[in-house]
Amino acid sequence: MAGGPGERPLEEGIRTDFSSVLDYASYLGLDQLLAAQHPLSQPEHPDELLFIVQHQTTELWFKLVLHELTAVRAHFAADEPSRARKALARVKHIFRTLAEQWSVLATLTPSEYAEFRGFLGSSSGFQSHQYRSVEFILGNKNAAMLPVFHARPGTQASLARLLDEPTVYDEFLRHLARTGLDVPAAVLERDVRRAWVEVPELVDVFAEVYGDPERHWAAYAVCEDLVDLEDAFQLWRFRHLRTVQRTIGFKTGTGGSSGVDFLRRALDLTFFPELYRVRTQIGA
């Protein structure tokens, strides 16, 4: 069919009848996805949609992050570091995207947010089970978080399973041990339900890797990938803190946390402390 002036005609082979075949909206579930935004402000505040979309898209990315990190852990367990690296690369790019996404929410001014913040009630990003799952699989485990999800038994059970399972770092270190590196037995036999804390003896293992990259190239490359991941994650945390600070200052969070101070303390958490500690020894 010919178009009007300035219109580009459809190419002959483009399908236009989807009455009996799968189309784009059906494949992506767009009817459900685009109907999942329900502003609560009365009258509806024009900026609440931004707030909802920002957090919903973050949750979609978290879903993919968790999917990829679960694969990374399995690849290390199967001694497939190259495949693990591919998934790690994807995760660090996701976190860079998430960090930049804060710039959109930062267009929400304090005055605008104050006009609908009260309608959020006690809901808070602190209650994101997917974020908590990502933290758990990376090593920041905390059994005290489970009661937060008591009202959602399925979610609580999923998080409890992750609490009981090895982390990405645990499986990487087990993989290194199987390649012949002298990973301390206490590391390999540790209680995986506990949060990771720095193991000084492990720094020597990484010093060996960084001291001879050519000999330990696969391990060396993964170590740098993990540092890239942590840097990207920390940048996301920092952008979160700055966005919250510019939007609500030092108010208490809607979920009851101390707000900015709570987020600032999270910046002191590290998933792979030995990979940073070893840098002091390199070339000393």
Side-chain angles (χ1 to χ4, degrees):
M1 180 184 297
E7 292 182 2
R8 184 178 66 169
L10 291 180
E11 294 178 359
E12 186 176 340
I14 292 180
R15 180 185 289 273
T16 59
D17 181 6
F18 297 96
S19 57
S20 60
V21 296
L22 183 70
D23 68 356
Y24 178 79
S26 298
Y27 175 70
L28 294 177
L30 290 184
D31 290 345
Q32 296 85 1
L33 185 65
L34 297 180
Q37 295 75 47
H38 306 289
L40 297 179
S41 52
Q42 295 292 333
E44 183 177 322
H45 194 284
D47 294 316
E48 190 178 357
L49 182 62
L50 161 64
F51 191 83
I52 293 172
V53 169
Q54 168 89 20
H55 289 83
Q56 286 183 339
T57 53
T58 296
E59 290 295 334
L60 286 172
W61 282 122
F62 280 164
K63 182 173 184 176
L64 182 57
V65 166
L66 190 58
H67 172 78
E68 297 295 340
L69 289 178
T70 301
V72 169
R73 187 177 60 180
H75 292 324
F76 285 142
D79 295 325
E80 298 174 331
S82 294
R83 297 188 69 183
R85 292 195 64 203
K86 177 66 169 64
L88 282 171
R90 182 171 293 165
V91 172
K92 67 186 180 185
H93 283 298
I94 292 171
F95 271 106
R96 287 169 182 164
T97 296
L98 284 169
E100 184 57 32
Q101 187 172 294
W102 287 118
S103 65
V104 183
L105 192 62
T107 64
L108 181 67
T109 69
S111 300
E112 292 164 343
Y113 184 43
E115 291 170 353
F116 68 86
R117 186 178 188 240
F119 290 93
L120 273 60
S122 58
S123 64
S124 165
F126 180 83
Q127 300 145 18
S128 167
H129 76 274
Q130 291 199 124
Y131 170 75
R132 204 59 55 187
S133 295
V134 171
E135 288 239 337
F136 275 23
I137 200 170
L138 286 176
N140 184 24
K141 296 192 177 183
N142 185 353
M145 286 301 307
L146 294 182
V148 174
F149 305 98
H150 179 72
R152 296 178 177 270
T155 295
Q156 188 181 56
S158 175
L159 200 57
R161 283 194 297 272
L162 275 175
L163 185 69
D164 291 334
E165 294 172 353
T167 68
V168 165
Y169 202 32
D170 285 320
E171 290 294 5
F172 175 53
L173 295 172
R174 293 173 183 180
H175 162 70
L176 292 185
R178 290 191 294 271
T179 67
L181 286 165
D182 190 22
V183 179
V187 168
L188 302 176
E189 299 164 3
R190 82 178 193 93
D191 180 0
V192 297
R193 289 177 56 88
R194 301 186 67 83
W196 181 270
V197 292
E198 185 173 339
V199 180
E201 296 82 4
L202 193 54
V203 177
D204 293 334
V205 175
F206 289 124
E208 180 180 343
V209 171
Y210 278 88
D212 193 348
E214 193 167 322
R215 179 184 174 193
H216 301 290
W217 182 259
Y220 174 78
V222 171
C223 287
E224 287 299 285
D225 288 335
L226 292 176
V227 170
D228 285 344
L229 170 58
E230 174 137 344
D231 281 354
F233 193 102
Q234 290 284 41
L235 176 60
W236 176 81
R237 277 176 169 160
F238 179 74
R239 291 294 299 273
H240 183 191
L241 181 156
R242 297 298 297 182
T243 302
V244 170
Q245 184 171 331
R246 70 177 285 161
T247 307
I248 67 168
F250 297 91
K251 292 186 182 75
T252 300
T254 50
S257 75
S258 57
V260 167
D261 287 341
F262 177 81
L263 296 175
R264 183 175 289 116
R265 288 195 297 274
L267 291 173
D268 293 330
L269 301 174
T270 178
F271 299 118
F272 320 118
E274 297 83 5
L275 291 177
Y276 288 88
R277 182 73 64 188
V278 70
R279 282 156 161 71
T280 307
Q281 295 189 19
I282 298 170

